[in-house]
Amino acid sequence: MRSTIVWLMVGLVGCAKAPVEAPAELGAIGLFLFEHFEDEDLAELEAGLNNLIPFIESEDFSLDPKDRAVTMPILEGAALGGLSIPAGVEASSQVPVALARESPHTIASNRELALEPNRICIESSTTVWAERTIVSGADCFGDGSCDRLEATQEVRKENALAKVWYDQFVTYRVFDIADEDGNISEVMLQRMWIEEVGEGDGGNSSWDQLFGLDVLIQRDSGTIGWLPYWSSISVVGIGDDIYANLVIDGLADSAIYADEFMANTQISCPLDRNTEKPPRG
């Protein structure tokens, strides 16, 4: 029965098309924001974000996420902003995808969400177990008395084809930007990455690299956002086009689950937030 489910899954996503290529300017903005994430002087980030906002505001959110997602340029070299590709992995193997979103929830609510240690049903449905440990900012980020949060996160990913653990690093920054007319917008940036390959159960699969941004921009009612995600896996039966569509599904899931969690009305996530931690060999 399990093998039937596996092949059915592959058949269903095997005909999926790759997302369209992002406009050159949008692709460059994604690399630029990742590279300058840690800048003390906010001038570069402000410029990049002001260039990003029109792309998000022009999005037709009535369309299916697979019809809105775009393929990004490869994240490598200086654009990594001081981070490194895991040993033995090539940046060129990335399947980079980005998806815009909108939310009724404020940045203040997302500050509190960032502090939640149990990430099940906040991230995608393939994240069957995830626990966040706050490294710095635990006592001040939620109430806004500091604007930086650092965390690590142990993650268990599962689907019909693979089960894998990896250790993720997460940093948040919150700051204000001004546009050319002097209008002020509050922004939350999150950067996430892994430093080592996550090995799958049995050694026949792996999560090879993961780099991501989560951009949130405050609006009069709620927020608009953008999620570029550069990653690659080694799983038999999943090629780049299939994987790109699985990533899109995961990004869309995470946006829905996070909104429902903040609203205390979780109905979409199929997972049990109270599940015990699976064994990690």
Side-chain angles (χ1 to χ4, degrees):
M1 179 66 176
R2 179 174 173 79
S3 61
T4 301
I5 294 173
V6 168
W7 287 110
L8 177 60
M9 178 183 173
V10 172
L12 287 172
V13 298
C15 59
K17 296 180 180 179
V20 299
E21 186 174 349
E25 184 182 356
L26 181 60
I29 290 170
L31 301 183
F32 186 84
L33 292 176
F34 199 96
E35 178 179 357
H36 290 279
F37 179 89
E38 290 287 9
D39 284 7
E40 291 186 18
D41 184 340
L42 297 177
E44 302 282 12
L45 287 172
E46 182 177 68
L49 289 162
N50 279 323
N51 286 330
L52 171 65
I53 288 171
F55 284 101
I56 304 175
E57 291 182 333
S58 66
E59 193 82 2
D60 183 355
F61 288 103
S62 68
L63 298 176
D64 186 275
K66 288 189 174 65
D67 295 324
R68 297 190 288 105
V70 294
T71 297
M72 296 291 289
I74 296 296
L75 182 74
E76 58 185 339
L80 286 163
L83 302 180
S84 300
I85 305 293
V89 178
E90 298 293 333
S92 58
S93 299
Q94 292 169 9
V95 180
V97 175
L99 185 67
R101 77 175 192 271
E102 59 180 356
S103 168
H105 299 286
T106 64
I107 284 177
S109 295
N110 278 275
R111 281 179 177 267
E112 292 293 338
L113 182 67
L115 293 167
E116 170 59 43
N118 181 353
R119 309 305 293 180
I120 301 171
C121 288
I122 295 175
E123 302 185 5
S124 72
S125 59
T126 58
T127 305
V128 300
W129 196 89
E131 184 173 24
R132 175 169 290 184
T133 300
I134 306 301
V135 176
S136 66
D139 58 345
C140 56
F141 190 75
D143 64 12
S145 57
C146 69
D147 291 326
R148 183 182 180 89
L149 180 74
E150 297 178 354
T152 60
Q153 190 166 307
E154 190 178 19
V155 179
R156 172 72 167 181
K157 287 278 194 178
E158 292 186 4
N159 65 19
L161 297 176
K163 299 178 180 181
V164 62
W165 286 99
Y166 60 77
D167 296 303
Q168 181 174 308
F169 298 84
V170 185
T171 302
Y172 292 82
R173 299 185 69 184
V174 179
F175 50 87
D176 290 339
I177 61 171
D179 65 17
E180 60 183 9
D181 297 320
N183 299 307
I184 305 297
S185 297
E186 187 178 25
V187 174
M188 175 185 282
L189 286 187
Q190 176 190 173
R191 186 167 71 164
M192 64 208 83
W193 70 97
I194 62 174
E195 296 183 348
E196 297 180 349
V197 172
E199 296 294 340
D201 293 6
N204 57 359
S205 60
S206 59
W207 197 293
D208 298 333
Q209 57 189 313
L210 182 163
F211 301 94
L213 281 177
D214 189 350
V215 182
L216 281 178
I217 301 160
Q218 185 68 50
R219 285 296 178 253
D220 290 340
S221 177
T223 48
I224 56 174
W226 192 55
L227 292 156
Y229 195 83
W230 298 265
S231 63
S232 66
I233 61 173
S234 296
V235 178
V236 175
I238 297 186
D240 286 358
D241 288 354
I242 296 174
Y243 180 58
N245 281 272
L246 293 175
V247 171
I248 295 167
D249 288 341
L251 296 177
D253 281 352
S254 66
I256 293 169
Y257 297 170
D259 279 350
E260 290 183 350
F261 186 87
M262 286 185 282
N264 197 28
T265 57
Q266 279 196 308
I267 56 174
S268 301
C269 180
L271 303 173
D272 178 5
R273 277 181 49 81
N274 298 314
T275 190
E276 294 185 4
K277 180 181 179 179
R280 182 170 185 176

